[in-house]
Amino acid sequence: MTVPVFREYEPAADCGCAGCALQRRTAAARSLPPRLGGHRAAHGARRALVLATAAGVVLSAGAAEAVVPACHAAGPVRPDDAAGPGPTTPQGQAGPLMGGGAAGPPTADAPLALRTTTRGEIISRAKTWVAAKVPYDMEKYWSDGYRQDCSGYVSMAWGLGGNEWTGSLSSYGTRIARSQLEPGDILLFHNPADPNKGSHVTIFGGWTNSARTQYMAYEQTPPATRKKTTPLAYWSNSDKYLAYRYRGLTGGSGGGSSAGFPGAARFGPGARNAHVTQLGDMLVARGGKRFYTQGPGPAWSEADRRATRAFQQAQGWRGANADGLPGPDTWRRLVDGTGKNIPAAGSGGGSSAVPPFPGRGYFKPGQSNAHVERLGRQLVKKGYGRHYASGPGRRWTEADRRNVEAFQRAQGWRGGVADGYPGPDTWRRLFS
């Protein structure tokens, strides 16, 4: 039996479905006038769907594949899907803690006495869910009573008295500029037209590059709580995210990052607190991962001192100014994402330590050379080696390509600039 091939119909001018609307916008952008209009196109689309269903039955019997029209797809197509993984995070409404009392956002008629907290405490609480890998679920509650969705996670980290949602979290914060973001602040996008489509919130954990185009995001998103370097403000709907600072914040809640320095007494032998963990996380993000055999923690260690000293020396400081104990200036540069990163081991420091890019021809299927192995080892050192089953080695493999792609996407790149094949900019960022 011959299987018909179906062509995609042009959108009807009076059809309000999301598929037709998207098709009309695409046609207008390309200056292509619709060939079918009005009810004729609508009937044509419906006829195509019926025929596509019939073709599906034939296909199940082993016939050739038919082309299914895309106009009336099952759901709307988001133009920003190509920009990266968007959050699929439906959420519950504002409500009490599981087993707790009533809660709700503060209003002029019923102001809420906010619990006070510090930046270090917010990040410390956020990390408890990351460590526990709390599964995402808008209808379940974790052992601490907070709902296991994105807004429940922020409610927990901020220490709110109940479970809020993206439509109410702003009531607990003060709007700030993105340039003022500090650890413990949030980036919030609430879509009032359809809260379950795109609405999301992340906790800002600090800048991860000097250009302030990336930050460490703590977020609750399927499948579980994660901590991930994220392009500012998010993978999709980036321009719609607003920055907020918790109104109950104490200690370093002002605009200047240096004001957030918790004090020299928080660091050094015998110190154990959330600020030590925060310091370690920021140092790892700036190239200090090699100093830690285990992840940064609340107890001050020799690894913290050595990583701090390496960062200070990268700024050109010597002697007492590079003693491995953070002061206000060290802290400010780490929080703001300014200054120079810690150079790779054995690089000797400055930007001249970045090895010259050998050329794209060395990185493609069939190639085997020392540059491929060097690239792979640097990917592993930077934390982008998860696709290697063994190695890395001298021969270019799909594992190399996928690891390079993961690194490129972490820079916020998409499309052809994140194809998994290193160019000069990928090489420079990877080795700097």
Side-chain angles (χ1 to χ4, degrees):
M1 174 180 176
T2 303
V3 180
V5 176
F6 305 109
R7 296 183 178 178
E8 183 175 327
Y9 282 84
E10 293 292 342
D14 58 351
C15 179
C17 83
C20 279
L22 180 61
Q23 290 286 80
R24 285 195 297 271
R25 289 197 298 271
T26 304
R30 296 176 178 174
S31 300
L32 295 178
R35 294 185 295 275
L36 296 177
H39 293 289
R40 184 184 174 195
H43 289 307
R46 286 193 290 272
R47 177 174 174 272
L49 287 174
V50 172
L51 291 174
T53 303
V57 175
V58 175
L59 291 174
S60 66
E65 182 178 0
V67 179
V68 180
C71 181
H72 289 264
V77 179
R78 295 191 329 212
D80 59 1
D81 277 347
T88 53
T89 52
Q91 58 184 305
Q93 296 293 317
L97 293 179
M98 179 59 69
T107 65
D109 297 329
L112 182 67
L114 296 176
R115 300 175 181 177
T116 59
T117 190
T118 65
R119 296 188 182 281
E121 290 168 343
I122 292 173
I123 298 299
S124 181
R125 285 192 291 265
K127 288 180 178 179
T128 61
W129 277 30
V130 173
K133 293 182 171 59
V134 176
Y136 184 92
D137 197 310
M138 64 173 287
E139 297 179 348
K140 292 184 179 180
Y141 297 79
W142 195 237
S143 56
D144 52 17
Y146 290 94
R147 193 176 56 244
Q148 295 170 212
D149 59 13
C150 64
S151 47
Y153 179 49
V154 171
S155 299
M156 178 277 299
W158 273 8
L160 303 183
N163 284 289
E164 299 303 323
W165 71 306
T166 56
S168 62
L169 279 171
S170 61
S171 301
Y172 294 85
T174 300
R175 174 84 178 275
I176 60 173
R178 290 183 181 183
S179 60
Q180 296 177 306
L181 280 164
E182 296 183 46
D185 298 334
I186 64 171
L187 284 158
L188 171 68
F189 166 46
H190 176 65
N191 181 7
D194 191 343
N196 281 336
K197 288 189 177 178
S199 296
H200 193 47
V201 60
T202 68
I203 300 171
F204 181 84
W207 301 107
T208 59
N209 67 347
S210 58
R212 296 194 180 191
T213 58
Q214 302 169 31
Y215 69 103
M216 187 63 69
Y218 294 85
E219 60 176 325
Q220 179 69 348
T221 187
T225 321
R226 72 180 184 182
K227 170 188 173 186
K228 184 178 179 65
T229 296
T230 303
L232 189 69
Y234 203 70
W235 307 96
S236 57
N237 295 309
S238 179
D239 59 326
K240 299 177 183 177
Y241 278 76
L242 302 177
Y244 289 92
R245 176 165 297 155
Y246 179 52
R247 290 200 287 112
L249 194 67
T250 61
S253 60
S257 299
S258 60
F261 179 59
R266 297 283 185 175
F267 308 99
R272 185 183 183 90
N273 53 75
H275 300 294
V276 175
T277 306
Q278 183 184 353
L279 172 73
D281 286 335
M282 292 189 294
L283 288 166
V284 167
R286 300 299 296 275
K289 184 177 181 180
R290 70 176 185 272
F291 295 101
Y292 295 90
T293 56
Q294 297 179 342
W300 178 266
S301 67
E302 179 64 13
D304 295 306
R305 188 196 67 79
R306 292 176 62 204
T308 302
R309 184 168 181 263
F311 179 77
Q312 292 168 333
Q313 289 178 333
Q315 314 313 306
W317 305 339
R318 297 294 182 267
N321 293 323
D323 58 1
L325 296 172
D329 202 17
T330 300
W331 186 263
R332 177 184 58 79
R333 295 191 186 202
L334 286 169
V335 171
D336 290 351
T338 56
K340 296 180 180 179
N341 289 341
I342 299 172
S347 66
S351 58
S352 60
V354 176
F357 178 59
R360 299 177 188 271
Y362 288 96
F363 310 102
K364 60 183 181 180
Q367 288 295 311
S368 179
N369 53 74
H371 301 300
V372 172
E373 185 174 8
R374 185 177 197 177
L375 173 78
R377 294 190 182 282
Q378 188 68 8
L379 285 165
V380 171
K381 184 181 296 184
K382 289 282 191 175
Y384 295 91
R386 69 185 184 92
H387 293 293
Y388 290 121
S390 62
R394 293 171 60 88
R395 181 170 296 279
W396 178 264
T397 66
E398 177 64 11
D400 293 300
R401 192 198 67 78
R402 294 177 68 189
N403 285 328
V404 172
E405 181 185 8
F407 176 78
Q408 290 169 332
R409 292 181 69 84
Q411 313 310 302
W413 303 339
R414 295 294 179 269
V417 293
D419 59 2
Y421 296 97
D425 202 21
T426 298
W427 184 269
R428 178 183 59 79
R429 293 195 183 202
L430 186 60
F431 283 90
S432 61

